[in-house]
Amino acid sequence: MSASTPLLQGQDISKFFGKGSQRQLALDHVSVCLEAGSCLALVGGSGSGKSTLARVLLGLEPCSSGSVTYDGKPVSGPNSPGYRAERLEAGLIFQNPFASLDPRWPALRSVSEPLRIQARRLGLSAQDIRARSLVALEQVGLDPERFAGRFPADCSGGQAQRIAVARAIVTNPRLLVADEPMSSLDVSARLNLLDTFRSIRQARPDMALLMISHDLGVVQHMADRILVLGDGRLVEEGPTGSVLATPASAYTRSLIAAASL
Ligand SMILES: Nc1ncnc2c1ncn2[C@@H]1O[C@H](COP(=O)(O)OP(=O)(O)OP(=O)(O)O)[C@@H](O)[C@H]1O
């Protein structure tokens, strides 16, 4: 990848769901660009197309028209041979850690699973996997001695989400995608997780972060740029500070007013 090539780029993406009279436009000619080392937040009201855009960018969902490139190469659909390799490069974090973590597995097993899947390809021994997983737990602020053997049911929401973050970063991905990572947490757990994300970004300055969030307070503290979606259309896009301080559209102003920043 040359210095000027974005890590992830979507150009002129449209996406329809359904057929005939049920056909619905979920994304309408949206373009998006994510540079290595940067954090882009996708914001917008419910049903505005945030998750659909993220799924299309990850190659989890085909677009109806437009193109997506990762590292300058086309992102292919679920049936193509390149799909698996591309997905394995991204760490994914979801809204509810109790739904995304296997309740039967202690933290160390959950965190190590992505490495286990790739152990042969990466030439990792069981010892390597354990060591890297313990480091990932430490990086999210969980003492491995206390948490390695802990099951999700014995964790708070914030601790469980940090286990999910450790699992997402354990492969040292170039892209981290977080879909409403804080929305199931209370205020103090949110602040802790914000700190965790900050220290991960400092430790891994080349990693790009794509975040979907309703929460403009979180976005304000994490994102370098904001892309605002409304009804499947790109409403505005720009540096976080300027979009929040001087929003160009009434739609963005209403999102900010609702968030009472
Ligand atoms: N698999 C699907 N089949 C049909 N319609 C869908 C599908 N997925 C999403 N949609 C529709 O596409 C539009 C965008 O949905 P999407 O989930 O991307 O919005 P969102 O901004 O992520 O919403 P939320 O914040 O509520 O999660 C919505 O009208 C939704 O109903």
Side-chain angles (χ1 to χ4, degrees), residues 81-227:
Y83 168 71
R84 190 172 157 77
E86 274 151 11
R87 261 209 68 197
L88 287 174
E89 277 203 42
L92 306 181
I93 301 160
F94 301 98
Q95 183 170 350
N96 180 353
F98 295 109
S100 67
L101 294 172
D102 190 318
R104 299 163 303 171
W105 290 355
L108 189 63
R109 170 87 200 262
S110 286
V111 173
S112 62
E113 189 63 10
L115 288 178
R116 240 185 261 267
I117 293 169
Q118 300 186 63
R120 195 181 297 176
R121 187 172 74 84
L122 300 175
L124 295 174
S125 67
Q127 266 179 330
D128 297 331
I129 292 174
R130 182 181 165 80
R132 282 178 61 168
S133 305
L134 293 174
V135 168
L137 278 173
E138 261 171 29
Q139 284 186 327
V140 298
L142 295 175
D143 175 4
E145 289 214 351
R146 286 176 56 216
F147 283 91
R150 194 131 1 140
F151 290 90
D154 301 323
C155 293
S156 69
Q159 290 163 347
Q161 191 60 304
R162 279 190 275 160
I163 293 170
V165 175
R167 182 183 56 183
I169 62 170
V170 75
T171 55
N172 205 7
R174 296 167 67 196
L175 171 64
L176 197 57
V177 180
D179 189 348
E180 301 281 4
M182 321 259 180
S183 60
S184 67
L185 307 180
D186 65 27
V187 174
S188 79
R190 272 178 207 211
L191 292 174
N192 278 333
L193 196 59
L194 266 179
D195 276 346
T196 300
F197 273 111
R198 262 194 220 113
S199 64
I200 291 169
R201 289 192 68 202
Q202 267 167 11
R204 300 165 189 234
D206 289 339
M207 190 184 69
L209 177 57
L210 180 67
M211 193 177 59
I212 299 173
S213 185
H214 278 105
D215 187 338
L216 289 177
V218 167
V219 166
Q220 184 177 30
H221 286 102
M222 279 187 60
D224 305 306
R225 296 182 70 80
I226 298 184
L227 187 153

Side-chain angles (χ1 to χ4, degrees), residues 17-18 24-27 44-53 61 95 179-180 212 214 229 232:
F17 287 110
Q24 189 203 341
L25 183 60
L27 292 172
S46 185
S48 58
K50 305 180 294 293
S51 300
T52 303
L53 179 56
E61 186 91 66
Q95 183 170 350
D179 189 348
E180 301 281 4
I212 299 173
H214 278 105
L229 283 175

